[in-house]
Amino acid sequence: MEQKPPGANNQLLLMIMVVVACSVSGAGAQPSPGYYPSRRIRSMAFGEGYDNLWGAQHQTLSPDQTALTVWMDRSSGSGFKSKRSYRNGYFGASIKVPSGYTAGVNTAFYLSNNELYPGQHDEIDIELLGTVPGEPWTLQTNVYVHGTGDGAIIGREMRFHLWFDPTADFHHYAILWNPDHIVFLVDDVPVRRYPRAAHGHNFPDRQMWAYGSIWDASDWATDGGRFKSDYRYQPFVSRYTDLKIAGCEAAAPASCRPVQSSPSGDTGGLSAQQNAAMSWAQQRSMVYYYCQDYSRNHANYPEC
């Protein structure tokens, strides 16, 4: 009798679930993750959770204070920051990005402690990278842990060509950061799970703030910097709404519980259905994964 390697049955089950999910939802349709954390957390007014950080002249709030419009032109971009810092949590926003020629434009939603630990900061990024007409927008996810401070910050990028048009409507992008893992979600579909390794050195565990911004990243954002921002097409306008924050603030008592990441109540794992949806997203849309980039020094990435 042929002996299967450890984990083979789990891998087979996951493959079956991916096939089933895709067949049920349609070949190109987004599968259900079976768990929707965005629906469990209430939306907040902008001023309840955030303050302007820079470029106030490039921001407008909706009359009900729930939607923020930011734009970038030749003079400036714009950014905002959460009022409080957190040691874990769910951070989400529905975002609509500009259409047309948007090369070099970076619409970001991220966590960072750069202002507290300059040169040695942690960061968890969702970045929507502009494009040229006819080419897809790229979603970049990234994790920095204790930046080196000498310009050689070690990034851990995973990029996707989105399976929808992010300029046509709002979609919900979220970071779920718990003590055991980080999950990046798009419309509640996990697209990436970044677990804490056994040694823990590759995982951000210091307090961070949530940020949003639009800025000129011409040096690298579109095809490695081949296409730059073209201000003949200004202003570049992005919109944020449905802002959500839930989790443990930095000063919360030890009894504060992280937001669960699966329907079972687990904070460090995903359900089989969530894993199947994540596999669908990665197999269909992932275009870059740092662990598969052998031009990099993998000694910097023990988790690979």
Side-chain angles (χ1 to χ4, degrees):
M1 182 176 178
E2 181 183 1
Q3 184 177 5
K4 295 180 179 179
N9 290 331
N10 291 337
Q11 293 175 4
L12 177 60
L13 176 61
L14 184 57
M15 291 175 62
I16 292 171
M17 291 195 69
V18 171
V19 172
V20 170
C22 290
S23 63
V24 169
S25 59
Q30 175 179 302
S32 168
Y35 178 63
Y36 298 87
S38 70
R39 300 178 187 177
R40 303 167 64 92
I41 299 164
R42 70 175 183 86
S43 299
M44 62 172 61
F46 175 80
E48 182 182 351
Y50 290 93
D51 289 317
N52 169 66
L53 183 61
W54 60 284
Q57 73 279 16
H58 288 71
Q59 294 182 9
T60 58
L61 269 174
S62 63
D64 64 1
Q65 309 290 297
T66 63
L68 181 73
T69 299
V70 297
W71 63 93
M72 182 183 92
D73 60 22
R74 190 183 300 275
S75 66
S76 180
S78 187
F80 57 94
K81 177 184 177 182
S82 64
K83 293 177 180 290
R84 291 167 288 276
S85 64
Y86 299 81
R87 63 173 187 261
N88 59 64
Y90 176 96
F91 308 87
S94 292
I95 303 172
K96 184 178 179 182
V97 293
S99 59
Y101 186 101
T102 54
V105 178
N106 186 324
T107 300
F109 185 69
Y110 62 103
L111 309 180
S112 180
N113 50 30
N114 184 54
E115 295 170 79
L116 192 61
Y117 304 105
Q120 291 290 329
H121 78 290
D122 307 301
E123 192 168 310
I124 305 171
D125 295 333
I126 287 176
E127 297 173 298
L128 291 154
L129 306 180
T131 189
V132 296
E135 295 298 323
W137 274 73
T138 297
L139 172 74
Q140 175 165 282
T141 65
N142 205 350
V143 177
Y144 296 110
V145 184
H146 291 252
T148 63
D150 61 2
I153 294 176
I154 303 301
R156 294 169 167 85
E157 302 91 343
M158 184 182 283
R159 301 187 195 114
F160 304 82
H161 283 164
L162 290 169
W163 54 92
F164 52 80
D165 180 0
T167 74
D169 204 351
F170 287 92
H171 291 267
H172 198 73
Y173 305 88
I175 297 165
L176 202 163
W177 169 43
N178 282 337
D180 296 319
H181 69 174
I182 298 161
V183 183
F184 297 87
L185 302 115
V186 178
D187 293 331
D188 288 304
V189 171
V191 297
R192 177 183 183 183
R193 177 176 180 264
Y194 182 86
R196 178 191 290 272
H199 52 70
H201 301 316
N202 68 334
F203 197 83
D205 54 13
R206 300 178 294 183
Q207 69 188 65
M208 287 192 273
W209 287 259
Y211 296 80
S213 63
I214 185 169
W215 58 288
D216 189 333
S218 289
D219 289 348
W220 60 271
T222 307
D223 198 10
R226 178 184 174 197
F227 298 100
K228 314 291 186 182
S229 295
D230 188 337
Y231 287 102
R232 292 178 298 174
Y233 300 99
Q234 69 180 21
F236 303 102
V237 180
S238 291
R239 295 177 171 86
Y240 293 76
T241 189
D242 200 19
L243 295 161
K244 299 174 184 290
I245 296 178
C248 299
E249 295 181 19
S255 59
C256 181
R257 295 292 300 157
V259 177
Q260 68 186 62
S261 53
S262 73
S264 69
D266 190 5
T267 60
L270 300 176
S271 70
Q273 190 170 352
Q274 287 175 299
N275 276 313
M278 183 167 64
S279 292
W280 173 88
Q282 292 182 0
Q283 292 171 9
R284 186 189 191 282
S285 299
M286 187 178 75
V287 294
Y288 178 83
Y289 178 36
Y290 73 102
C291 279
Q292 296 173 356
D293 184 350
Y294 290 96
S295 68
R296 292 189 170 191
N297 180 0
H298 274 217
N300 293 323
Y301 308 104
E303 67 274 11
C304 291

